[in-house]
Amino acid sequence: MANQENDSNTLKDVYDQLTKIVKQIEDFEFKSILSGEDDSKNTIITIHSGAGGTESQDWAQMLLRMYLRYSENKGFQTEILDYIAGEEAGIKSTTFEVRGDYAYGYLKGESGVHRLVRISPFDFNKRRHTSFASVFVIPEVEDNLTVDIKDDDLRIDTFRASGAGGQHVNKTSSAVRITHFPTGIVVQCQTERSQHKNKESAMKILRSRIYQHYLQIEKEKQAQKEPDKKKIEWGSQIRSYVFHPYNMVKDHRFDIETSNIQAVMDGDIDMFIYGFLSHKGSRQKFRGT
């Protein structure tokens, strides 16, 4: 009817509404895929810079910004639980929480090694550098889920939180590091001035990591009974971000790629997240604009 009456305003309104409806349908379809036991939970993400000093530390910070922007766009809430700054720039490691419906389900496919290729802003000779950072995504354990942690299995150390110095440097031992002897898992938190709050955050991370540790053991036992299934190991390179000599972000698992690298670094990573969810039984190629 709008076409017949040449009503451009109504046509635009219809287009806008259809776009919203299509997005809602896509979200519904992908949420129907998120049927795993932990998919609906909040998630805890840890980013570690790889070898390479300042280059990799700067890359780790770029990834942190990407995930924070993605979470903001999704309406998720985020909280930095631990943050260790690099000596010159970037971060050595960080742990943050993402809270929202299906936060873990959406972000679980981001676990792995992320590779950056670019002309280094820290290299006077403007040479091309390759940097790596690892991302580890685990579901947050809910308060009503019991994870058996015995006091005798823990060693709790306190130390001064690192900082840039000056009048705001932390002069008390408020940072907390917890070691779990049975699994060898070590977590730490130093973002809060309160030792109690840092310990509380560290225990939250520890509970989730222990839960995921034993869950992974069960999955590996099940995989041994099903040898035909492809083995997926932590530490595999999942994605490359190329800034030079051309622009491309490519997910090596599913052959998904885009040349719009700026949008990706601003948090537009839906194509990779949806690709992970939808390509479990498909190798269909998707190219972004």
Side-chain angles (χ1 to χ4, degrees), residues 61-70 262 265-266:
Q61 187 167 48
M62 291 167 66
L63 286 174
L64 171 62
R65 178 184 178 275
M66 182 183 79
Y67 289 123
L68 293 180
R69 291 293 297 273
Y70 169 80
Q262 188 56 56
M265 299 315 300
D266 284 338

Side-chain angles (χ1 to χ4, degrees), residues 45-61:
I45 301 177
T46 299
I47 302 174
H48 290 288
S49 61
T54 303
E55 288 292 336
S56 293
Q57 291 166 15
D58 187 54
W59 174 225
Q61 187 167 48

Side-chain angles (χ1 to χ4, degrees), residues 28-81:
F28 177 80
E29 288 176 342
F30 282 106
K31 281 185 179 179
S32 69
I33 298 174
L34 299 175
S35 57
E37 182 180 354
D38 299 314
D39 284 348
S40 62
K41 295 180 180 177
N42 299 332
T43 187
I44 295 173
I45 301 177
T46 299
I47 302 174
H48 290 288
S49 61
T54 303
E55 288 292 336
S56 293
Q57 291 166 15
D58 187 54
W59 174 225
Q61 187 167 48
M62 291 167 66
L63 286 174
L64 171 62
R65 178 184 178 275
M66 182 183 79
Y67 289 123
L68 293 180
R69 291 293 297 273
Y70 169 80
S71 299
E72 180 183 357
N73 294 339
K74 278 287 184 184
F76 295 153
Q77 301 296 314
T78 58
E79 180 182 359
I80 303 292
L81 301 177

Side-chain angles (χ1 to χ4, degrees), residues 59 124 137 155 176 229:
W59 174 225
F124 179 76
V137 183
R155 185 180 72 212
V176 174
K229 288 192 174 180

